[in-house]
Amino acid sequence: MKNILESFLDALEVRYTKRYVRRLYEEHPHRGNMYGLKQMLAVYGVRALGVYMEDKDLLNLSYPCIFHTGNDFVIGLESNGSRIVFWQQGKKKTSTHEAFKSDWTGNVLVVEDLEKAGEPDFKKHRWEDLQFVARCFCLPTLLVFATGMGCVNNWGELSFLHWFCMSLDLVGLCLCFMLMQKQLLGESKYGDKVCSFFHHADCNSILEGAYAKIFGGSWSEIGFGYFMANILLLSLYPSGIDVLCVVNGLAMCYGVWSIYYQWRVAKNWCVLCVSVQAVVWCMGIMAACHIRGISLSAEACLWSAMVLVACVMLVHQYAFSYQSDKERIRMVQRYKGLKANSVVAKALIESSTYYKVSEEDSSVVFGNKEAHLHITVLSNPHCNPCARLHKRVEDMLKWYGDDLCVQYIFTAFSEKAEDSCRYLISCYDKDNPEATRKIYGEWYAGGKNRYESIVKEHADSIHTDEVEQEVQKHFRWCKGHGFTATPTVLVNGYFLPREYDIEDLVMLTNCQIEYPRKNIVHDINGRSTTPLGAESLSAEESV
């Protein structure tokens, strides 16, 4: 089922790729509140605003929008007259205004602007999605192809028993697939329908029980691998059917234990599990009726054992990879949530070295100067890591420019490269930051490799008194604090802790950073002025 972010982007008709949007949502530390949804929408170029409507006037809203109802979010699609159409838990619903207002808390996230909406690097992500799908379905496709080729090549050897058993194996394969969906995803569209048809609500108590796994693999994985191996052997190696009959007889014994366990131990029934056992017993009974004598050769036993083990291990590996990725996402989300915790952030940031910095040290400032979050980036125009960091900073300014302020301080570790700093400083236009950011982006994207021709072309504009005064402030600040490595990132004057990436700073919504009183790296000019943004770090979102 689609998450709230996917559904809302659908309602806004904004293109996205599934893996990117789901990773963004599942790993976001604030995915459960409106501030987090606002930040995620900002990544897609959708400007949203969280508001509280005391009068709950549904007719005075722009649609689509996101409503907060109790412990859930719903997407309002349209409202006309006395009824509202909304999307909740993957279903489109209609309700009267009065009934909807009784559940609505009054908090709503409305869209202000989506003129430039779209997923960043959409083509790249779509190509990555296609590669992922190809990797996932490459082997299953080859197995289907092998089965088809086997049926064609061994057509004369395939009896009624072969075809009947393959048909039952296909049914068992579908049933085990639905069981694996419930095991891995917690739900199965068609599996849940099968359960509801028999008025049975849930199979999870059996699937998650103490005996649901053996040697680290679930019985649903073993069943899927078993039926898949049966189909391959019947089509590619028809003479090995006698071995499969013996194996199926053993599987019938497991079916007896499974029914007993559900009946007497768990005292609950899994409709899909019982259906799988019914398929196994039908195959066993059919084989017993048609085979007069069983002939087991060493070759047939070896091939059958190899294929059975390989199929079971292959299915288990697929399931294990999926579960591992799911666990990784869960741990990343928890780790990001820990870093976004104001107590943790305050402790880590305030324990870092502090350097006084203000606009007196550099006038190259982007974003909202009134923002509480002030980031200082010490950058070398010819540094490749600086170029990569600039791309990340540019994305932050594009998505969260209203919530942060970014100050650049340029330095060069050779006299030959100092003119590059002068060029970048001369390009800064505080009245047109968009144009400046475009020039900086072009420089770090490749312009720095032909800096000599660029510097020569702009010689008149870079060798001015104004530029020289500014560049000397940059050099003096860098030299005074003894920085020898770039890029270096400060947040409100504090050295960015190694536990944080620069993108994590936008998650610090409720953190108050205190001005240091001791163990300070003193200002090189002995100034007593308070550095920009040093008193506090707060970006609380009110809805």
Side-chain angles (χ1 to χ4, degrees):
M1 185 174 65
K2 293 183 177 181
N3 58 52
I4 184 70
L5 181 60
E6 289 178 272
S7 300
F8 194 56
L9 291 175
D10 284 336
L12 295 174
E13 298 182 350
V14 175
R15 294 194 307 173
Y16 63 87
T17 55
K18 288 185 178 180
R19 292 181 69 238
Y20 181 82
V21 72
R22 288 179 181 177
R23 185 168 62 248
L24 174 66
Y25 177 80
E26 291 170 358
E27 293 182 358
H28 202 284
H30 298 305
R31 67 186 184 190
N33 57 53
M34 281 192 170
Y35 181 64
L37 291 174
K38 176 184 174 181
Q39 287 189 318
M40 287 183 275
L41 288 171
V43 174
Y44 279 84
V46 179
R47 290 184 58 193
L49 177 67
V51 297
Y52 174 72
M53 298 186 67
E54 189 173 359
D55 58 358
K56 296 186 178 181
D57 186 0
L58 293 172
L59 297 176
N60 193 29
L61 286 171
S62 60
Y63 292 84
C65 55
I66 299 178
F67 294 98
H68 180 234
T69 58
N71 295 321
D72 195 13
F73 291 110
V74 301
I75 299 172
L77 300 176
E78 61 177 320
S79 178
N80 44 42
S82 60
R83 304 189 72 80
I84 181 173
V85 181
F86 59 95
W87 192 268
Q88 183 178 31
Q89 298 294 327
K91 296 181 180 179
K92 191 175 182 179
K93 301 179 180 180
T94 303
S95 175
T96 63
H97 282 193
E98 293 304 317
F100 186 83
K101 288 179 183 179
S102 64
D103 294 328
W104 179 28
T105 63
N107 295 322
V108 59
L109 193 66
V110 295
V111 175
E112 290 186 297
D113 178 35
L114 49 77
E115 183 178 349
K116 298 180 180 179
E119 182 173 287
D121 299 323
F122 175 78
K123 291 183 179 179
K124 175 186 174 184
H125 296 155
R126 183 168 59 180
W127 174 242
E128 289 174 351
D129 272 12
L130 290 174
Q131 291 177 309
F132 176 78
V133 171
R135 288 196 301 270
C136 288
F137 289 95
C138 178
L139 195 55
T141 302
L142 289 175
L143 293 175
V144 172
F145 180 76
T147 301
M149 289 297 295
C151 291
V152 172
N153 293 334
N154 300 309
W155 185 266
E157 299 181 46
L158 297 177
S159 64
F160 171 77
L161 179 61
H162 287 85
W163 289 111
F164 184 79
C165 286
M166 277 196 282
S167 299
L168 288 176
D169 282 324
L170 189 60
V171 174
L173 201 67
C174 294
L175 291 171
C176 286
F177 180 74
M178 289 185 281
L179 279 170
M180 287 186 63
Q181 280 187 313
K182 292 181 74 67
Q183 170 196 329
L184 298 175
L185 306 177
E187 61 179 359
S188 171
K189 180 179 179 181
Y190 297 104
D192 292 339
K193 288 183 179 180
V194 172
C195 292
S196 62
F197 180 78
F198 290 95
H199 305 288
H200 188 78
D202 193 13
C203 296
N204 291 338
S205 59
I206 301 298
L207 296 177
E208 298 173 1
Y211 297 95
K213 292 187 177 183
I214 181 172
F215 302 121
S218 69
W219 286 110
S220 56
E221 296 167 13
I222 295 173
F224 192 93
Y226 169 73
F227 288 119
M228 184 169 67
N230 273 0
I231 294 175
L232 283 172
L233 287 168
L234 289 170
S235 59
L236 295 172
Y237 193 64
S239 59
I241 191 171
D242 289 352
V243 177
L244 294 181
C245 289
V246 173
V247 174
N248 194 76
L250 298 175
M252 291 171 68
C253 297
Y254 165 73
V256 174
W257 177 85
S258 177
I259 297 298
Y260 173 80
Y261 172 76
Q262 295 177 65
W263 176 36
R264 303 298 295 177
V265 180
K267 296 182 179 180
N268 193 14
W269 295 98
C270 171
V271 175
L272 293 175
C273 299
V274 173
S275 301
V276 170
Q277 304 311 322
V279 170
V280 173
W281 272 75
C282 287
M283 290 170 58
I285 294 172
M286 191 68 183
C289 293
H290 281 74
I291 293 182
R292 300 291 178 262
I294 294 179
S295 176
L296 301 178
S297 66
E299 180 186 0
C301 291
L302 181 61
W303 275 108
S304 299
M306 288 173 60
V307 174
L308 281 167
V309 172
C311 287
V312 171
M313 292 300 295
L314 178 65
V315 174
H316 173 68
Q317 190 59 41
Y318 264 67
F320 179 76
S321 297
Y322 180 86
Q323 289 175 320
S324 297
D325 189 59
K326 193 174 180 181
E327 180 66 16
R328 181 196 64 80
I329 291 174
R330 187 176 70 88
M331 295 305 295
V332 168
Q333 196 273 338
R334 287 189 174 186
Y335 179 56
K336 286 186 175 181
L338 186 65
K339 290 195 291 184
N341 184 285
S342 59
V343 177
V344 175
K346 179 180 174 68
L348 288 174
I349 293 174
E350 290 184 358
S351 65
S352 298
T353 306
Y354 177 82
Y355 303 89
K356 274 196 173 182
V357 61
S358 73
E359 283 194 81
E360 293 184 29
D361 300 304
S362 171
S363 302
V364 183
V365 179
F366 300 98
N368 181 9
K369 290 185 179 181
E370 302 301 321
H372 294 289
L373 189 65
H374 179 244
I375 301 170
T376 302
V377 179
L378 177 63
S379 181
N380 183 336
H382 297 280
C383 164
N384 288 326
C386 295
R388 291 191 290 270
L389 179 66
H390 176 79
K391 177 63 170 64
R392 295 159 62 190
V393 172
E394 178 62 26
D395 288 340
M396 290 175 62
L397 287 168
K398 182 168 61 178
W399 302 334
Y400 313 112
D402 294 338
D403 298 325
L404 55 86
C405 175
V406 176
Q407 178 187 44
Y408 269 89
I409 297 180
F410 295 108
T411 187
F413 300 118
S414 67
E415 293 184 7
K416 188 178 179 179
E418 288 182 0
D419 278 348
S420 299
C421 297
R422 293 184 175 90
Y423 167 70
L424 292 177
I425 289 173
S426 69
C427 292
Y428 177 71
D429 183 356
K430 64 180 180 180
D431 297 323
N432 192 356
E434 294 287 340
T436 305
R437 284 162 51 188
K438 182 178 179 182
I439 294 172
Y440 285 10
E442 292 172 351
W443 172 271
Y444 281 111
K448 60 186 176 68
N449 297 325
R450 47 187 181 86
Y451 73 97
E452 291 180 342
S453 61
I454 293 177
V455 167
K456 185 176 180 181
E457 181 182 349
H458 297 84
D460 293 338
S461 61
I462 68 176
H463 293 293
T464 64
D465 292 341
E466 184 180 359
V467 171
E468 191 61 30
Q469 290 176 7
E470 179 68 21
V471 77
Q472 290 304 322
K473 289 194 300 183
H474 291 223
F475 293 165
R476 186 166 57 250
W477 184 88
C478 180
K479 184 178 180 181
H481 289 305
F483 287 111
T484 58
T486 57
T488 297
V489 179
L490 307 179
V491 51
N492 286 35
Y494 289 93
F495 194 86
L496 182 67
R498 64 179 182 179
E499 292 84 2
Y500 284 83
D501 294 320
I502 193 170
E503 293 87 353
D504 295 327
L505 296 178
V506 297
M507 306 300 174
L508 304 178
T509 58
N510 301 307
C511 188
Q512 298 292 332
I513 303 300
E514 296 181 1
Y515 183 81
R517 299 299 178 185
K518 56 184 179 179
N519 298 328
I520 305 174
V521 175
H522 295 288
D523 177 29
I524 59 174
N525 293 318
R527 294 191 303 261
S528 60
T529 55
T530 302
L532 180 61
E535 307 95 328
S536 64
L537 178 62
S538 176
E540 294 188 23
E541 179 70 10
S542 175
V543 294

